Amino acid sequence: AQKVTQAQTEISVVEKEDVTLDCVYETRDTTYYLFWYKQPPSGELVFLIRRNSFDEQNEISGRYSWNFQKSTSSFNFTITASQVVDSAVYFCALSERNSGNTPLVFGKGTRLSVIA
Amino acid sequence: DGGITQSPKYLFRKEGQNVTLSCEQNLNHDAMYWYRQDPGQGLRLIYYSQIVNDFQKGDIAEGYSVSREKKESFPLTVTSAQKNPTAFYLCASSTGTPSYEQYFGPGTRLTVT
């Protein structure tokens, strides 16, 4: 069965620090997708990135970067030079393709607080 | 503007009453989903629908019901059989493949007393 673990429940950093959010997943499928979402205080989840299991290239988008390592089943998310607006709950999610296109399974989230 | 709307933002009900949460999308997405979020629990899937007039149970379907009569709409009814209905409910949609990214509405916070 698929599972996503976000071991960090809450993280606090001071503005301009770098921060990495960890995500470890379990799946028996060889074809799967990994996602990150941001949930600001307003409550709506915002899609950040999708990565498929065949693409292990790291991705950078502005201050955001993602490190996908199949060898350790991890898909970590780094925010560089954090800002107060980055304060939110961040969710990692997984879906499997070979097992019938299953909907996303979410981790329990990591609450990030960036202090000015 | 394309997106997903959920109304109302806050909903209050007395115990024993059924309540229906609305979800409408104009993204022309085939698939729609309902999640429940409790503090510290992440998102748990209640029901999802890949096409009109068809839907599947998620992990916590007991005490909930849905319908999908139109592509744009996927209302969720929280019945009196749901033991602990107070929660934040999120609706999402995606293109026809459930394993692809989903786009979320603003959510409805339901309080039952």
Side-chain angles (χ1 to χ4, degrees):
Chain A
Q2 51 187 329
K3 184 179 177 182
V4 175
T5 301
Q6 295 179 255
Q8 304 150 308
T9 306
E10 295 190 34
I11 301 175
S12 285
V13 298
V14 176
E15 204 170 21
K16 297 183 185 175
E17 285 185 356
D18 298 348
V19 59
T20 295
L21 310 181
D22 298 332
C23 174
V24 174
Y25 62 91
E26 295 176 28
T27 177
R28 279 178 256 178
D29 243 343
T30 56
T31 305
Y32 53 89
Y33 296 98
L34 294 161
F35 308 81
W36 276 96
Y37 283 84
K38 174 182 180 180
Q39 185 179 38
S42 61
E44 182 172 342
L45 267 75
V46 177
F47 166 70
L48 296 177
I49 190 172
R50 178 187 73 180
R51 180 57 99 216
N52 75 56
S53 52
F54 295 110
D55 184 1
E56 284 193 75
Q57 277 195 330
N58 290 335
E59 173 127 357
I60 298 174
S61 176
R63 296 184 297 107
Y64 294 172
S65 62
W66 291 269
N67 184 311
F68 175 31
Q69 292 195 337
K70 284 176 82 168
S71 60
T72 56
S73 296
S74 65
F75 186 45
N76 296 338
F77 174 30
T78 297
I79 301 174
T80 303
S82 59
Q83 300 176 2
V84 172
V85 293
D86 296 326
S87 297
V89 181
Y90 290 86
F91 291 95
C92 182
L94 163 74
S95 67
E96 296 171 332
R97 283 305 301 272
N98 293 342
S99 304
N101 284 326
T102 57
L104 277 63
V105 170
F106 288 82
K108 294 189 175 182
T110 297
R111 181 177 299 277
L112 173 65
S113 298
V114 181
I115 304 162
Chain B
D1 268 272
I4 302 172
T5 56
Q6 293 184 245
S7 60
K9 180 73 172 173
Y10 298 95
L11 193 53
F12 298 88
R13 281 294 183 270
K14 295 287 188 187
E15 198 172 321
Q17 293 179 336
N18 291 356
V19 58
T20 297
L21 282 59
S22 78
C23 177
E24 304 277 333
Q25 56 99 359
N26 62 4
L27 299 168
N28 200 32
H29 283 168
D30 289 312
M32 297 185 74
Y33 312 81
W34 275 105
Y35 291 90
R36 170 181 172 139
Q37 186 177 23
D38 296 284
Q41 291 296 314
L43 277 71
R44 292 184 290 169
L45 183 65
I46 305 173
Y47 269 99
Y48 68 103
S49 167
Q50 297 188 52
I51 55 172
V52 173
N53 292 323
D54 186 45
F55 47 83
Q56 289 80 40
K57 293 182 180 180
D59 300 319
I60 55 165
E62 186 175 345
Y64 299 98
S65 66
V66 293
S67 63
R68 187 87 187 277
E69 297 176 2
K70 298 187 301 182
K71 186 176 184 177
E72 303 79 21
S73 178
F74 191 40
L76 173 75
T77 297
V78 184
T79 74
S80 55
Q82 168 51 232
K83 295 281 186 268
N84 186 18
T86 295
F88 187 51
Y89 291 88
L90 285 156
C91 178
S93 70
S94 70
T95 59
T97 305
S99 54
Y100 281 12
E101 59 269 23
Q102 298 171 14
Y103 295 91
F104 284 80
T108 292
R109 191 166 297 280
L110 173 65
T111 302
V112 177
T113 56

